[in-house]
Amino acid sequence: MIDRLSRIYRSTVFRLSLIAAALFVASSFIVLGYIYYATVTTRLNEIDDGLEAELEEIEDLFSRGGANAVNQLAINRILSPSSPNLYLFQNGNSPATSNLEGDPIPESPKGPNETIQFVFEVRDTKTGMGSGEFHRARGRYQVLAPTTVIFVGRDVELIVTAAERVQRALLIAMLMAATLGIVSGAYVSGRFARRIDRFNRLATDIQGGDFKRRAPVTNSGDELDDLAQHLNGMLDHIDRLMSAMRYAGDSIAHDLRSPLTRLRTSLESTATQVKDPQAREALFDAADNATELLGTFESVLRIARLEAGDRRELLVNIDPQPVIDDLAELYEPSCEDARLGFISEIEAGHMIAADRGLLSQAVSNLLENAIKYTPKGGNIRLTLRKNRAGRVEINVSDDGPGIPTEQRERVKERFVRLEQSRSLPGTGLGLSLVQAVADLHRAEFSLSKSDIAKTGLKATLRFPRVRK
Amino acid sequence: MRILVVEDDEIAAEYVRKGLMEAGHVVDLAGDGELGLEMAKAADYDALVLDRMLPKRDGLSMLAAMREDGDATPVLILSALGEVDHRIEGLRAGGDDYLAKPYSFAELLARVEAIGRRSDPTAAVTKLKVGDLEMDLLARTVTRADENILLQPREFRLLECLMRNAGRVVTRTMLLEKVWDYHFDPQTNVIDVHISRLRSKIDKEFDTQLLHTVRGAGYRLQT
């Protein structure tokens, strides 16, 4: 499940829909901001302007008629049902003239001409007492004389509430749209990912040598169908070429190896007839060389065939333990003869998809290499185990001279032999064959620093998890 | 033995004929599948050497026709197609052994003699005997001159294979196939090492050597 989610997350379509959703959210914020500005801020500015005009008028009145005139104006305005404003007039020690419960001025650290936002208790129009209902309001005050202060305010509860409601609605709409965007993006990308997945599986199978597989065509005639049809055309062509090559390969093997074989047969049969022991030995040597030549030819063909990959159907799910046990038993005496310590740590109960013969041959090549290159008194270790990531590994480690890091990839190529090993027998095909066998098994073949000594080499075949 | 060689490459066929005759066998040649089938029907052969790629009728179809007729003559299939799946195909079609080209003549001879009618290395016997070396297949014991010889399971199978083919050459490749079930040739002398271990157990303490090395071919167990 988590795997699927992370796949969806990584898919291109899903990322695109996620970006679209993010852009939508961002632009909604801008629109929302504008609506807020256009409705609320402008309205509040108008109110502030009105309050300022009122204060200017009162200031003017104060300069002409003094405190009493202002007090009278405040009383008139408070009593007038058409005046929307809130007033508070404080003159010296006389009781304040006000339609406000409480006093917002002392709470405000702000000076004159600054808008104060505050909350007041609304008066009941019938009783003139507090109604228990609180409204938000804003106002300004003006100091008219050292002890004379007028405050004018306006109830803005309706405006602010309306603005908040619009804001909340927009926010919810935005969240809904973003969620829908992500969900539909996930759905579309999931569908798309499944189709792309089929192409990926096809490519993997074909790389593994299954040239009979074809891309699925849905008959919807869309771009992916076009791609599938083109791919299939290409695969048909590759398949034809492969068959032609295989046929040519078989024919060459049949035609070219026959004369070489005859050469060897005549050398061998002459050797058995010749009486002179020296001539006899020379003829056997010549026959041995012919055998070696044929062996090399055989190996090249074998690798070519493995790389052509027409043998994936040979793979079956097996526990490799008996296979590796047999090899340990086969090579243990050779190690002893070469004065090498041999340790095997072979775990049972793991499962890999493998061909016993090919697996044996690959590991046998690795063991023979280790025996060949490790000097007397050295050690070789063969292990079969499951690594921490849960993948089955076969390792052959030695404490011989090892291979320099920069050469480790190169030695897997055909006919590549390092300077140091030129004097030893061999064709330079052993590791190429291991690589070809590994590829067929979709296993990783790696060479690294030995894990049993400071010098030396560790060869690892790491198998993919078995599909159940 | 009377052996029929069906091979379209005349020179190769001639070499095989010559070699088998020198080894004391009577050999007939057929150049294509149709002729080969006719000859196999007409005469009673002890073994057939059959190339897979033949003109007129390929080796496997010829073999299938023979087996349909109830002809059980042992057949060694020769082919340039040495891959395991081809080998299995050949054995399924009714072949008794399969030899990939290029082969050495010694290998071919050893295998033909091993499958031939006059020998039956898989016969249901319970005791094998070569000179004073005796093997009890049921009790899984080996004695030489009545002295018990302790063998590892694999050494036992190795000796059994040699004893069943006593007097005939058994090649290294045959040993790898029959004792270890490996169908590839290791680059090193891994079989020789096992043989020398076996030899030290069955021959070292005794005056007469039973296990002989045949240069250019393999091993032979013989008094």
Side-chain angles (χ1 to χ4, degrees), chain A residues 257 262 264 311 329-330 368, chain B residues 9 80 83 103-104 194:
Chain A
R257 284 193 295 179
R262 287 199 298 271
R264 180 171 68 178
R311 299 176 61 184
E329 187 219 51
L330 181 66
E368 289 190 344
Chain B
D9 178 342
E83 297 300 330
Y103 53 83
S104 74
H194 283 268

Side-chain angles (χ1 to χ4, degrees), chain A residues 218-235:
Chain A
T218 57
N219 293 323
S220 65
D222 62 1
E223 298 92 327
L224 283 181
D225 260 13
D226 277 355
L227 178 64
Q229 271 159 3
H230 282 129
L231 272 178
N232 288 347
M234 195 175 80
L235 287 172

Side-chain angles (χ1 to χ4, degrees), chain A residues 267-312:
Chain A
L267 284 170
E268 272 174 352
S269 66
T270 319
T272 48
Q273 287 158 21
V274 167
K275 295 283 176 285
D276 176 23
Q278 246 182 319
R280 192 183 158 89
E281 210 41 45
L283 282 168
F284 269 127
D285 281 347
D288 284 348
N289 284 331
T291 306
E292 208 176 294
L293 197 65
L294 282 164
T296 305
F297 194 27
E298 180 78 1
S299 298
V300 173
L301 279 173
R302 211 167 235 271
I303 294 168
R305 244 168 204 290
L306 283 174
E307 283 177 351
D310 56 350
R311 299 176 61 184
R312 265 201 71 74

Side-chain angles (χ1 to χ4, degrees), chain B:
Chain B
M1 294 202 294
R2 189 164 181 200
I3 301 166
L4 173 62
V5 176
V6 192
E7 161 73 88
D8 62 322
D9 178 342
E10 277 173 38
I11 306 168
E14 191 50 44
Y15 269 113
V16 171
R17 194 180 70 89
K18 210 173 127 220
L20 288 174
M21 278 170 66
E22 275 160 14
H25 302 293
V26 179
V27 181
D28 291 334
L29 291 182
D32 64 66
E34 289 293 345
L35 183 61
L37 189 59
E38 256 172 56
M39 286 172 76
K41 275 182 182 166
D44 191 22
Y45 289 101
D46 295 308
L48 245 77
V49 176
L50 178 61
D51 192 11
R52 256 189 82 149
M53 279 181 160
L54 288 171
K56 290 188 186 169
R57 183 167 204 151
D58 76 85
L60 288 194
S61 114
M62 180 191 145
L63 176 56
M66 276 174 64
R67 294 296 186 240
E68 254 172 53
D69 267 12
D71 185 343
T73 311
V75 172
L76 170 65
I77 300 169
L78 292 183
S79 171
L81 312 168
E83 297 300 330
V84 175
D85 35 356
H86 291 299
R87 201 180 62 80
I88 292 169
E89 237 172 65
L91 296 184
R92 276 209 192 117
D96 296 82
D97 200 356
Y98 193 100
L99 185 56
K101 290 180 180 179
Y103 53 83
S104 74
F105 179 73
E107 190 75 46
L108 174 93
L109 180 63
R111 282 171 190 264
V112 173
E113 291 191 337
I115 62 162
R117 268 194 187 149
R118 283 178 205 169
S119 68
D120 191 357
T122 56
V125 290
T126 57
K127 279 204 166 90
L128 297 168
K129 196 169 183 313
V130 179
D132 55 356
L133 182 67
E134 286 181 47
M135 173 179 269
D136 186 329
L137 290 168
L138 295 177
R140 313 294 288 175
T141 54
V142 175
T143 58
R144 179 155 187 200
D146 294 327
E147 250 179 75
N148 252 323
I149 296 170
L150 280 177
L151 295 179
Q152 302 288 330
R154 191 75 68 174
E155 288 169 337
F156 189 91
R157 284 176 64 185
L158 183 58
L159 183 61
E160 181 189 338
C161 182
L162 289 163
M163 288 181 85
R164 280 184 186 275
N165 290 289
R168 293 191 297 265
V169 172
V170 183
T171 64
R172 291 175 180 83
T173 316
M174 283 166 81
L175 288 173
L176 265 170
E177 284 181 13
K178 289 176 173 56
V179 180
W180 278 273
D181 194 23
Y182 287 149
H183 298 277
F184 59 92
D185 283 321
Q187 292 153 18
T188 54
N189 59 349
V190 62
I191 293 302
D192 298 353
V193 176
H194 283 268
I195 288 285
S196 86
R197 300 224 153 175
L198 182 63
R199 187 176 271 148
S200 77
K201 289 190 176 175
I202 63 167
D203 271 348
K204 209 177 177 185
E205 312 280 318
F206 302 91
D207 294 334
T208 44
Q209 266 225 326
L210 291 177
L211 186 46
H212 306 274
T213 304
V214 184
R215 177 73 164 99
Y219 299 97
R220 182 168 51 209
L221 198 67
Q222 198 171 32
T223 46

Side-chain angles (χ1 to χ4, degrees), chain A residues 178-217:
Chain A
T179 313
L180 283 175
I182 290 169
V183 169
S184 58
Y187 173 73
V188 171
S189 69
R191 262 177 65 93
F192 191 71
R194 270 196 296 281
R195 289 184 69 184
I196 292 289
D197 233 30
R198 278 190 222 125
F199 283 97
N200 280 330
R201 271 204 301 278
L202 173 78
T204 321
D205 282 347
I206 286 167
Q207 267 172 27
D210 188 356
F211 284 93
K212 295 289 164 231
R213 293 260 286 112
R214 289 294 177 269
V217 180

Side-chain angles (χ1 to χ4, degrees), chain A residues 103-119:
Chain A
D103 178 5
I105 301 167
E107 289 164 21
S108 160
K110 290 180 175 173
N113 302 322
E114 288 292 333
T115 303
I116 300 156
Q117 298 194 34
F118 63 101
V119 174

